[in-house]
Each structure stands twice: as structure tokens, then as C-alpha cells.
Amino acid sequence: MIKMNDVYKKYSNGVVAANGITIDIDRGEFVYVVGPSGAGKSTFIKMMYREESPTSGQIFIDGTDLGSLKNKQIPYLRRQIGVVFQDFKLLPKLSVYENVAFALEVIEETPAEIRKKVTDVLALVGLSQKARMFPNELSGGEQQRVSIARSIVNEPKLVIADEPTGNLDPDTSLGIMNIFEKINNRGTTIIMATHNKDIVNKIRHRVLLVEGGMITRDEYEGEYSYEG
Amino acid sequence: MKARTLGRHFRESFKSLGRNGWMTFASISAVAVTLLLVGSFIVMMMNLNKMADNIENDVEIKVVADAAASDAAVKELQEKVESIDGVASVEYASREEELDKVIKQYGKELALYKQSNPLGDALYVKAADPHNTAEIAKEIDTYEYTAEVVYGAGKVEKLFNVVKISRNVGLILILALLFTAMFLISNTIRLTIIARGREIEIMKLVGATNSFVRIPFILEGIWLGILGSIIPITAISIAYQQIYAYWQPKLVNEMFQLLKPMPFILQVDGLLLFMGVFIGVWGSLMSVRKFLKV
């Protein structure tokens, strides 16, 4: 699903955020990306949805070479990837339903399709009863579920989550993890950058440790363990 | 593009016009002031041009034949002049006719000269292209029976210089104004973009195409341009018709005629509308490009 080949990224300010990353992630995998702040986790996952481009090296997503993508094609890459953030990135003036529907409206889905998909996905994340509420009327965990619903409403093959539980308490975080497990069980590949030691150690998956722009550890059923 | 999508773009563009109230007002005012000046200037220039054309076309060369020349010699002179390249017409006026003209102009006392007419026969020559007038006059001056060649030397050139200078100064002024209006529009759109920053971020994240993101802003620019052109179009249309109705009857001299309001005013209006839309689109593209880099 994801293949990186000696990927190197140097920002214009001189910071080297990826220093020769080579990795292979299969379809349907669930992968944690851990490591200290500033180690290159964000760059690593941002390169997957072409928010950042590598200075050198190749990245393939589902067989597509991102380096050969024209700017015009990037939107179509992103339609196959769902992204979830620590700060949810919801639109405060739209209701829960509208926030999720927004993702389909802007890619010009038909109203009938939108209605069906949004209803289904809200049921999946357990928010059917709160569809008409606004983000500021919801708890943090609920807001993150809206954000997850939005990321998967277009049925992407890959979901990328950057610290999705960073702002949530442990119980709520587990609830969120349950949803990611459900999505993963449907065959969707999940990449999750996280600092949440409890979760990584409790819900075992492949763990990539990123340090100094390099993957220094890659373990299946791995543990969250590094100094710092 | 689907009709539904287009409807959405229209709604979005109208919404942000209201949301940025004061900046919208400032941009529309800037466009209005600019186009009002541009429009007045165009109306003036077009009329000046027309007058210059009229005057230019009216330039003729008066060739006075030698008073001693026989009728046959004058006839010969006329034929020679007619054969010059670039001469459009030659009109003959006998010395008697010439004297009548002078008497009419300066008074009956000159009727005395009827006894012994000091004037020669005259030829009135018009050039096909008025710019060749001087050259033709020079040529005629070399002919045997030519006593005198008279034409409005220098006056036409002066008039044309005035028109040219005012046109250049006006153009620079207009360009500066257009630029200001574009700048204001692009700032207004920039505010819209900032206000919708998160929305745009999400749109791009979930795979909206660039044109989908861009179109509402371009539409907004177009609305600013159109709204800004309404006042100048109305003002100039009404004002010109008033001026025409008031001045035209007083301008008896056929050199100084104003252009008829129809279709002239419609052409100017169309041009102003086009310029408004152009400024709007250009202004929005300037800010959109900077903000929506992939």
C-alpha cells in the first residue's frame, strides 16, 4: 500500500526531517509511528498525502508514484486518503452532519450519495443521534469522531491519523481507538502517529520508531519504548 | 461543471461579499471612481479625436494662379495639379468668384476692385490623405503659373500634438488607477480567503480540485467589478446625453461636432463593464494564486 524508497527531505531552513527512509506497508495493516517531537514523524506522514514532497527518493501509494503526480492529480490522490488531526479541524458553523457531508460536496458527489454515505458513517462512529448538533456542543471525543467520520466517508483505502488522541483523556482515547479498529477490520490501512504509550502497548500493532529522520526500529506487535 | 456545483459557487461568492462588508464597499468604490474617470476620459478623447479628424479632413490647399495667366494656362495648371499622386479633388473658382468672396467678407467698399480685379483664379485642392497636404502644396508651388499656395500649415500638427499628449498622460493616469482598483480588490479577496482558511484547508485535504476552491473567489472578483461599474455607466450615460442635448445645437460649426450618443454611449458602457469585470478577475487571481498553492 505504501512504499518508500530511500526518501530524503531537507527543508529550506536546513532541517533534515527524513534521512533515508525505506519502508513497505501492506494493505490492511495498522501501523503506529512513534518517536520524540521533532524527529520527523509529521514529515513522514505528510509526505504520504503529498502535503510535503521529498527532496529525493520515491514514494508509492497504492502503486502510484507520488513524484510523477502533476499538481492537478493531487486532489484525486487525496480522495483515496482520509486524514485525521489532533485538533479535529471541524467547521464551527456547520452541524455534525454538514461537516461530514462537506467532504463529499466539495468533490461533487450527488446529493443522494451524500445522504446515504453520511448517514452510514455517522452510525459507524455512533453519532447518529447528534447529527444536528454543532461542534461546540460536543465533547472532545465526539468531535474527534466527527473528524474520523469525515475522513472515512469517501471510503478511502488509507487513513492517516496525526496524534488523534493527543487532546483526549484515556477513556475517550480508547473509544476512539475502537473506531479505528473497526475501520481497520474493514480492510482499511491505518497509519497513526502517536505519543500515547498506553494505547500502543495495549492495542498491539506494528510500531515504527522515527528518530532523527530515520526509522530506527520496526517491530510487529511492537511496544512503545524509546528514551525521551 | 454541474449546475449544482455552480449554484454552490454563486452562493459562496455572494456570502463573502456580505461578510467583508467594508472591504467590499471600498473595492466597489475604487472600481467606481476609476471607471468614472476612465469613462469620462474616453468620452473626451473620442470627441477630441473626432474633431481633430474633422479639422484634418477640412484642410485644403488654396492655389492662386498668376493674375496674368490665360484661361488655357490655368486650365493646364488645374490638369497638372489633378494628376499629382494623392490629390483627391480640385475645385476651380474664377477670379470673379474669388473677388465676390472677399467683398462679402470685408465689405462693399472693395467692390471698387471689380473694375480691375487684382486677384488670380483659384484652385481648391484636397489631399486624399491629409497628412500629405504639406508635400502636395510644395509640389504645386514649383509650377509655372502658381502665384501663391496657402494652407493651414502647422495648425493641424499642433492640434494633433495636443491630442496625443493628453492621450498619453491620460493613459498613464488610467493605468495607475486601474492598478489601485485591482490592488483593493485583491486585498478584499485576500480577506475572504483568510476568513475561510480552515474551510479551504479541509477542502484541499479531502481532495477538492483547485478550480473548485478557486472559482468562488474569482466570482467574487467579478461581482466587485460589475457592482463597481454600475455607477460610472449610469453617470456617464446620463451626463453625456445631457451634454449632447445642451451643446450640440450651439455647435453650428461643422468641425466641432459631438459624437451622437447612440451607439457611442453603449460602446463606452460596454467597455466600462468589461474593464470592471477584468479588474475584478485580475484582482482576485492575484491573491488567489498566492494563497492557494498546492
Side-chain angles (χ1 to χ4, degrees), chain B residues 30-45:
Chain B
V31 175
V33 170
T34 305
L35 291 184
L36 194 61
L37 288 169
V38 171
S40 315
F41 181 79
I42 290 173
V43 168
M44 273 183 337
M45 285 314 301

Side-chain angles (χ1 to χ4, degrees), chain B residues 9 11 13 34 36 39 45 69 80 93 98 102 128 154 169 172 191 210 212 222 235 250 263 279 285:
Chain B
H9 289 327
R11 275 197 310 281
S13 63
T34 305
L36 194 61
M45 285 314 301
K80 244 172 127 179
E98 285 297 294
V102 175
V169 170
I172 292 170
L191 280 186
N210 282 344
F212 186 96
I222 293 177
K250 305 189 177 181
I279 300 174
L285 282 180

Side-chain angles (χ1 to χ4, degrees), chain B residues 134-231:
Chain B
E135 220 173 293
I136 293 170
K138 239 183 239 163
E139 168 80 17
I140 298 173
D141 208 15
T142 64
Y143 294 163
E144 198 183 344
Y145 294 104
T146 305
E148 202 186 352
V149 179
V150 187
Y151 73 102
K155 284 183 196 155
V156 182
E157 284 86 345
K158 261 183 209 156
L159 179 75
F160 269 89
N161 263 337
V162 171
V163 173
K164 208 159 108 187
I165 289 171
S166 50
R167 187 159 36 197
N168 289 343
V169 170
L171 270 181
I172 292 170
L173 205 72
I174 284 177
L175 283 179
L177 282 166
L178 287 177
F179 190 77
T180 312
M182 276 188 224
F183 179 74
L184 271 164
I185 286 187
S186 85
N187 266 322
T188 309
I189 306 262
R190 192 168 304 168
L191 280 186
T192 314
I193 294 175
I194 291 169
R196 295 181 55 200
R198 159 134 320 178
E199 209 175 315
I200 293 168
E201 185 189 354
I202 295 166
M203 280 178 165
K204 299 189 75 180
L205 207 60
V206 300
T209 59
N210 282 344
S211 58
F212 186 96
V213 179
R214 220 178 267 143
I215 287 172
F217 300 115
I218 294 173
L219 283 177
E220 189 181 344
I222 293 177
W223 306 145
L224 291 174
I226 291 178
L227 289 174
S229 63
I230 289 175
I231 293 174

Side-chain angles (χ1 to χ4, degrees), chain B residues 48 51-60 130-131 133-134 150-164 255-256:
Chain B
L48 266 181
M51 286 175 192
D53 272 357
N54 287 345
I55 292 170
E56 198 184 38
N57 287 331
D58 218 53
V59 175
E60 57 182 9
H131 292 283
T133 305
V150 187
Y151 73 102
K155 284 183 196 155
V156 182
E157 284 86 345
K158 261 183 209 156
L159 179 75
F160 269 89
N161 263 337
V162 171
V163 173
K164 208 159 108 187
M255 279 187 211
F256 298 101

Side-chain angles (χ1 to χ4, degrees), chain B residues 97-141:
Chain B
E97 285 167 343
E98 285 297 294
L99 185 61
D100 284 344
K101 259 193 230 166
V102 175
I103 293 170
K104 215 169 157 190
Q105 212 170 352
Y106 295 102
K108 286 197 172 115
E109 300 78 47
L110 296 176
L112 280 172
Y113 283 108
K114 277 200 169 177
Q115 327 249 315
S116 126
N117 189 346
L119 301 176
D121 293 336
L123 297 174
Y124 291 92
V125 182
K126 271 196 174 172
D129 178 357
H131 292 283
N132 296 334
T133 305
E135 220 173 293
I136 293 170
K138 239 183 239 163
E139 168 80 17
I140 298 173
D141 208 15

